[in-house]
Amino acid sequence: MAFLLNAASTPEPPSTAVSLFFATQTSDVTTGLQSFSWTVGDCVPNSGTLANGPINKGKSKLVFKLSLNGVAYVAKRCYTLGDGSPVSILANRDQLVKEGVTLGRAEFFLNHFNSECAYEAIEIAGFDVTDFLIAREGVASLAESFVPSPASGITSTDYSSLTPAEKDELTTDSNTISSITWLLERERGDVQLRKYSGTLDHPKYSDKQGATINAFQHFVYLYSKKTLVLADIQASESHSRLSQNAVLFDLMSHTANRESGAGDHGDLGIKTFVNQHECVQKCVALNLEALKTPENEEDAQEEEETG
């Protein structure tokens, strides 16, 4: 999914006041696995203004401008999961949570990758994983009438037609109603975007930035005990004056259990990376186990022959 998070050069669109409730994010220190929860104590509403119409559109998500406590963000939600059909309130939530898990794990792996490269005195390009928040749009009291924002893509009728079980999943406690889920990132303005890999396409690069990504993908595959491959890797210039690192965002992954969301091809995605990856010097310098073995090269040849 390749789009720029650029809203700085566009006119201010009509917007609507919204209340957002942020998920609490925790990370397992040994695996990097993320979890998100909306607990009673943390469900303090934050007021913002959300643009009524999108400023950008990717293959599966729409992007809207959001002003929150005087800070410019972009808010993303899914409009499809690849088959062209609309996404339900709960399916959108589940997909964005899974994207958050992927981003969190990528940051976990990147921190370890950077540490290994520093220890081995390997010069690499600087990358960060985007900071993000996951929030639900809603109201903080059952006494308040709930009118979803135009950007949410749902109506009050859509919400009221949910089953009691579905409403329970979206109600944090007896008072808080929440509906559409958003993934928020700080607005980065007009930035250059570079795409390093596709869903099932992993080119080899000779420049510093590209070779760093090649080695990072290799590292992630091995560090995850061969259960995860990062895909659809793209980066934009940093939005921080304190860092010149490029920012990775909208990442996808292939996992052994095929549970990381849309675009996860499971074992096929992992094998495709193994068969396509060509080690760069940074892989060698890190002493990463070679992926090209007689066995998987034979598997790749058989797949090509069978089409």
Side-chain angles (χ1 to χ4, degrees):
M1 177 180 181
F3 52 67
L4 290 177
L5 304 183
N6 57 12
S9 61
T10 59
E12 290 297 323
S15 58
T16 299
V18 293
S19 290
L20 297 174
F21 301 82
F22 295 112
T24 299
Q25 178 180 342
T26 57
S27 177
D28 187 297
V29 296
T30 59
T31 65
L33 281 171
Q34 312 291 302
S35 60
F36 302 88
S37 65
W38 282 265
T39 60
V40 175
D42 293 320
C43 269
V44 178
N46 286 259
S47 298
T49 54
L50 182 63
N52 294 342
I55 59 168
N56 222 322
K57 179 179 182 180
K59 292 181 180 179
S60 63
K61 290 194 287 290
L62 297 174
V63 184
F64 299 79
K65 289 187 68 173
L66 170 71
S67 177
L68 188 66
N69 300 322
V71 179
Y73 287 84
V74 290
K76 305 177 184 180
R77 68 168 174 85
C78 299
Y79 69 91
T80 182
L81 293 182
D83 59 359
S85 60
V87 180
S88 69
I89 294 173
L90 293 180
N92 171 71
R93 177 204 62 185
D94 293 344
Q95 177 59 32
L96 294 183
V97 166
K98 289 176 179 179
E99 182 173 334
V101 170
T102 297
L103 289 170
R105 295 203 78 189
E107 183 175 28
F108 169 82
F109 292 128
L110 183 59
N111 289 338
H112 286 277
F113 174 75
N114 288 339
S115 295
E116 288 293 321
C117 289
Y119 180 79
E120 298 291 346
I122 300 169
E123 186 177 351
I124 56 174
F127 287 95
D128 293 321
V129 176
T130 184
D131 292 328
F132 68 96
L133 297 166
I134 292 183
R136 290 179 180 173
E137 178 186 326
V139 296
S141 171
L142 294 177
E144 298 179 52
S145 59
F146 175 53
V147 180
S149 69
S152 71
I154 64 171
T155 65
S156 298
T157 302
D158 293 326
Y159 180 78
S160 61
S161 64
L162 292 171
T163 67
E166 290 173 331
K167 285 187 178 181
D168 284 343
E169 282 198 54
L170 295 168
T171 303
T172 303
D173 57 36
S174 59
N175 290 317
T176 302
I177 298 174
S178 54
S179 63
I180 201 71
T181 302
W182 296 96
L183 191 148
L184 313 180
E185 297 177 35
R186 291 285 293 272
E187 182 184 291
R188 292 194 277 276
D190 290 313
V191 294
Q192 293 296 314
L193 169 70
R194 180 176 179 184
K195 192 170 181 72
Y196 292 94
S197 70
T199 305
L200 294 169
D201 181 32
H202 308 282
K204 179 182 179 181
Y205 295 97
S206 57
D207 65 289
K208 185 176 180 180
Q209 288 75 20
T212 298
I213 291 297
N214 287 152
F216 177 50
Q217 281 187 286
H218 190 167
F219 177 88
V220 168
Y221 169 67
L222 296 178
Y223 202 85
S224 67
K225 298 181 180 179
K226 304 181 180 180
T227 63
L228 184 147
V229 164
L230 289 177
D232 204 29
I233 298 177
Q234 55 196 319
S236 66
E237 293 177 354
S238 175
H239 55 76
S240 171
R241 295 180 180 178
L242 301 177
S243 172
Q244 297 301 311
N245 291 351
V247 180
L248 302 173
F249 67 101
D250 278 335
L251 299 173
M252 293 169 50
S253 61
H254 304 297
T255 59
N257 57 17
R258 203 171 183 176
E259 293 181 354
S260 71
D264 186 340
H265 290 262
D267 287 338
L268 172 62
I270 293 174
K271 288 181 179 179
T272 298
F273 167 72
V274 170
N275 292 331
Q276 290 184 2
H277 177 75
E278 293 185 45
C279 283
V280 294
Q281 182 56 38
K282 297 182 192 303
C283 300
V284 178
L286 279 168
N287 296 310
L288 298 180
E289 172 192 332
L291 303 186
K292 289 292 191 296
T293 65
E295 181 179 348
N296 63 44
E297 286 183 345
E298 183 177 334
D299 289 343
Q301 184 177 355
E302 289 179 359
E303 289 178 7
E304 291 178 2
E305 292 175 352
T306 57

